[in-house]
Amino acid sequence: MALTREEREQFLAEPHVAALAVDAGAGRAPLTVPIWYQYESDGTVWIMTALDSRKNELISAAGRFSLMIDRLEPTIRYVSVEGPVIETVPATIEQLREITARYLPADKVEGYVDFAWKNHGDQVVVRMRPEHWVSSDLGTV
């Protein structure tokens, strides 16, 4: 059964790991990789990735990407969003802290942020406004 708009938005606001998919060019299947994401109250989603990463290069070339987010408990549920990139900007340490706090226990956040900020190179935040949604709650099986 498809989810309502409110159910989709609530689901995306939860800290699930997404599968990012982006066109990888002629003769290639889409690049599909796991990634942390953030969902904002205005309906946009954002990811953070290395400025010189293949993800960022492909997203820049395609101008759009998809995220598919799922969970298995307490019911099998997923939401997939696809849309255009609306902004790519240099990442801030505050954004790194925000997305890290979404996924890691509080006592691990500062250690990870310190490590990532020093060792992962220049990062960018890529914002996408979902245009197409696919969602379902398959219940328990």
Side-chain angles (χ1 to χ4, degrees):
M1 173 174 285
L3 303 177
T4 67
R5 179 180 178 160
E6 293 78 22
E7 288 171 326
R8 292 186 320 222
E9 290 176 351
Q10 179 181 359
F11 184 77
L12 288 180
E14 298 169 1
H16 304 288
V17 174
L20 177 141
V22 61
D23 183 3
R28 297 288 306 264
L31 173 71
T32 306
V33 294
I35 196 163
W36 290 352
Y37 73 95
Q38 180 62 290
Y39 183 72
E40 297 182 335
S41 61
D42 68 357
T44 60
V45 294
W46 61 267
I47 60 161
M48 186 179 294
T49 190
L51 176 63
D52 61 354
S53 69
R54 184 155 186 253
K55 288 186 297 280
N56 190 45
E57 291 171 6
L58 293 173
I59 290 169
S60 295
R64 60 192 314 113
F65 64 94
S66 295
L67 293 176
M68 195 287 296
I69 302 95
D70 66 345
R71 71 160 196 225
L72 300 177
E73 294 178 1
T75 61
I76 299 170
R77 180 177 276 199
Y78 71 88
V79 173
S80 178
V81 294
E82 184 264 331
V85 172
I86 59 172
E87 178 182 55
T88 301
V89 295
T92 66
I93 197 165
E94 291 80 17
Q95 289 166 318
L96 177 59
R97 189 171 288 111
E98 175 184 339
I99 203 162
T100 301
R102 179 173 163 87
Y103 290 95
L104 296 183
D107 64 329
K108 303 290 185 191
V109 171
E110 287 308 315
Y112 178 83
V113 168
D114 184 55
F115 171 82
W117 195 252
K118 291 176 181 174
N119 295 289
H120 287 174
D122 292 337
Q123 301 283 303
V124 292
V125 167
V126 182
R127 294 187 192 290
M128 181 256 282
R129 179 159 319 278
E131 287 181 340
H132 304 285
W133 297 74
V134 178
S135 65
S136 186
D137 189 328
L138 305 175
T140 57
V141 274

